[in-house]
Amino acid sequence: MDRRAFILGSVAVLAVPLAAEAQAGKLARIGYLLLPPLAEKPSAERQAFLQGLRELGYDEGRNVFIEYRSAAWNRELLQDLAAELVEGKVDVILAAGPQATMAAREATKTIPIVMIAGIDPVESGLVASLARPGANVTGFTRQMPGLTGKRLELLREAVPRGSRVSVIWNPGNPATATDWKETQAAARTLRIGLESIEVRGAEDFLAALSGMVQRRPAAVVMIDDTVTVWGFGYRDMSMTYLEKAEAEMRELA
């Protein structure tokens, strides 16, 4: 499932609690909680979210109001921002990313939360089980057990002589910590050496890229996470870091 379809699917789930407000003639209110900065130009994910709402008959400002709350990479702010949404009595919270989902779950046990996160909802304690969640959290997860190991297998086929692989991941996310362990297990089986590149926020990307330029691994694997996807997905951010890394490489040459 691509990222656009992933977001659209979440919107369909989110529309359920909004329908009751619409039937009552009220302006539906959505809380949108996220860790990355909220860019003036909507990201691809936010564009898909707004498009999905329109396809379901909801137009921002007409019959739905969206309360955006961004922590701008400061994870410590998420809990307070989630509490603001709860105090504002939004009808539903869209939590973009695992950290935002955990913060929203801590802030309320009654307001519906739709998560868009690469996290195991059962293992993380968000729900009791997939069949019977028994909580106010629903949505979609991109976590696929065994995927990280498969990536290494494909890399081995593509670069058979590659003995060292850099893995970019966010240790602050419990889900990616699980993926990192799976990657280590697969690497031992394939006899591949791993280099852990930890990124906890936007400020870590320049050092990560510069380090890889100097060490020149045979390949790079990125474990998907809000931090890593936004860090490399946002062109303005990633191009700035890549240009700086390339400049450092030229200086070393």
Side-chain angles (χ1 to χ4, degrees), residues 220-238:
V220 178
V221 171
M222 185 181 76
I223 298 177
D224 288 357
D225 162 83
T226 306
V227 173
T228 58
V229 169
W230 279 67
F232 282 95
Y234 256 107
R235 187 179 185 281
D236 291 343
M237 180 187 294
S238 59

Side-chain angles (χ1 to χ4, degrees), residues 22-80:
Q23 290 176 359
K26 297 180 180 178
L27 184 69
R29 302 177 69 240
I30 301 173
Y32 192 121
L33 182 65
L34 69 164
L35 175 62
L38 189 67
E40 183 176 346
K41 180 181 179 181
S43 64
E45 288 83 358
R46 188 149 61 97
Q47 288 177 2
F49 165 68
L50 295 173
Q51 178 186 336
L53 285 177
R54 287 192 293 271
E55 291 177 0
L56 293 170
Y58 294 96
D59 292 314
E60 186 175 7
R62 182 176 66 85
N63 57 356
V64 67
F65 181 73
I66 305 173
E67 290 270 9
Y68 292 101
R69 293 292 186 277
S70 164
W73 297 121
N74 187 347
R75 292 185 297 274
E76 295 179 357
L77 288 179
L78 282 172
Q79 194 65 59
D80 290 338

Side-chain angles (χ1 to χ4, degrees), residues 1-44:
M1 181 184 291
D2 63 28
R3 295 179 64 79
R4 180 180 177 279
F6 191 80
I7 299 291
L8 291 177
S10 298
V11 172
V13 176
L14 180 145
V16 175
L18 297 182
E21 296 300 317
Q23 290 176 359
K26 297 180 180 178
L27 184 69
R29 302 177 69 240
I30 301 173
Y32 192 121
L33 182 65
L34 69 164
L35 175 62
L38 189 67
E40 183 176 346
K41 180 181 179 181
S43 64

Side-chain angles (χ1 to χ4, degrees), residues 88-214:
K89 297 182 179 180
V90 296
D91 301 301
V92 60
I93 296 175
L94 177 67
Q99 295 93 341
T101 302
M102 298 297 286
R105 183 67 177 86
E106 287 296 318
T108 179
K109 301 296 188 293
T110 55
I111 296 175
I113 299 169
V114 178
M115 70 173 185
I116 307 172
I119 188 172
D120 186 327
V122 178
E123 183 177 337
S124 63
L126 289 171
V127 300
S129 70
L130 295 180
R132 297 180 181 278
N136 59 323
V137 180
T138 187
F140 289 81
T141 174
R142 287 192 297 269
Q143 191 171 31
M144 299 174 65
L147 179 61
T148 52
K150 188 62 178 178
R151 286 175 177 170
L152 285 185
E153 291 179 17
L154 293 174
L155 276 177
R156 171 62 84 191
E157 294 177 7
V159 190
R161 295 185 179 181
S163 60
R164 186 160 53 90
V165 174
S166 292
V167 181
I168 301 173
W169 67 293
N170 173 19
N173 179 352
T176 56
T178 300
D179 289 338
W180 169 239
K181 291 179 181 178
E182 290 183 2
T183 303
Q184 288 178 301
R188 285 192 292 270
T189 300
L190 297 169
R191 296 182 179 179
I192 295 176
L194 297 182
E195 177 187 23
S196 173
I197 307 294
E198 299 182 0
V199 289
R200 293 176 171 80
E203 67 280 359
D204 296 332
F205 279 93
L206 177 57
L209 290 171
S210 298
M212 285 189 294
V213 165
Q214 295 178 32

